[in-house]
Amino acid sequence: YVVRLDRTAPQAALLAQRKSLQLVRKGEAGSVSSFLADSFFMEKEASRELASAVPFRFANGAYVGGVLESDLHEAISKALNAAEEATARFTPNPSQAEAIKWALSRRVSLIRGPPGTGKTRVAALLIATSLRLRGARIELDGEVGPVPKVLAVAHSNGAADVLLEALLAVGVPAIRAGRPATVSPAARKRTILAMTQTHPE
C-alpha cells in the first residue's frame, strides 16, 4: 500500500500510524483490517457482496439470552427489544430500529444522517444490542461464543464524550480511553485512570 502521512502530526501518533499500517501491509493486523484492506481493492460489486455477508461469528446462529436462534434477523430483533427494555431513555423510531438491525446483520455498515437525527443514540443502542448477541462457535458444536467486545471510536474528544454519555444512558458500562486532560469533566469518572483508582483490583 502506498500511504502518505502528514509530517506535521505529532511524532508519537505518526509512529503509531506507521507501525499500524506496516502490520496491515504485512497482513498481520487481524481479520478486520485484512477484510477492510481486501474490500478496498476489490471491484465495487465484489466489495459490496463481501460487506453485506453475514458476520463470521453468526454463521451458525446467534444466542440471545442463552437461547440459540438460527435466524439471525430474529436474534437481532430479540436483542434489540431486550436493549430497549433495559433503558427507558431511548426508544428508536422505525427507521432507527431498521438501521440497527441492518447494521448488525452485515460485516460492514455505515449509518449516516443530518445533525439531530439521533445517530449518537442509534450508535449507543446498536452497541447495547450487539452486546446481547453471542455467536455459536463452530469448533465447539454450536456452544455459546465469547462475550463480544466493542471498541467505539469517535472523530473528536467531544464526540467521544457524547457517545460515552449515550452508552451509559442505555446501560452499557463503557469506559472512556484517552488522556484525562482531553476528557470533559462529566466523563472523567469513566476514564481508565479514574476506574483504576476506584477499582484497583
Side-chain angles (χ1 to χ4, degrees), residues 85-115:
E85 289 172 10
T87 179
R89 298 192 63 186
F90 174 52
T91 301
N93 65 36
S95 66
Q96 291 170 330
E98 195 55 41
I100 291 168
K101 292 175 189 176
W102 174 82
L104 289 173
S105 67
R106 48 196 302 119
R107 292 186 190 161
V108 177
S109 56
L110 173 67
I111 297 173
R112 62 183 182 162

Side-chain angles (χ1 to χ4, degrees), residues 1 3 20-43 47 50 108:
Y1 305 101
V3 178
S20 297
L21 289 171
Q22 289 298 327
L23 290 173
V24 170
R25 187 177 58 78
K26 293 176 186 175
E28 299 172 357
S31 60
V32 173
S33 66
S34 295
F35 165 75
L36 290 173
D38 290 347
S39 66
F40 181 77
F41 289 104
M42 289 179 169
E43 294 295 322
S47 177
L50 185 62
V108 177

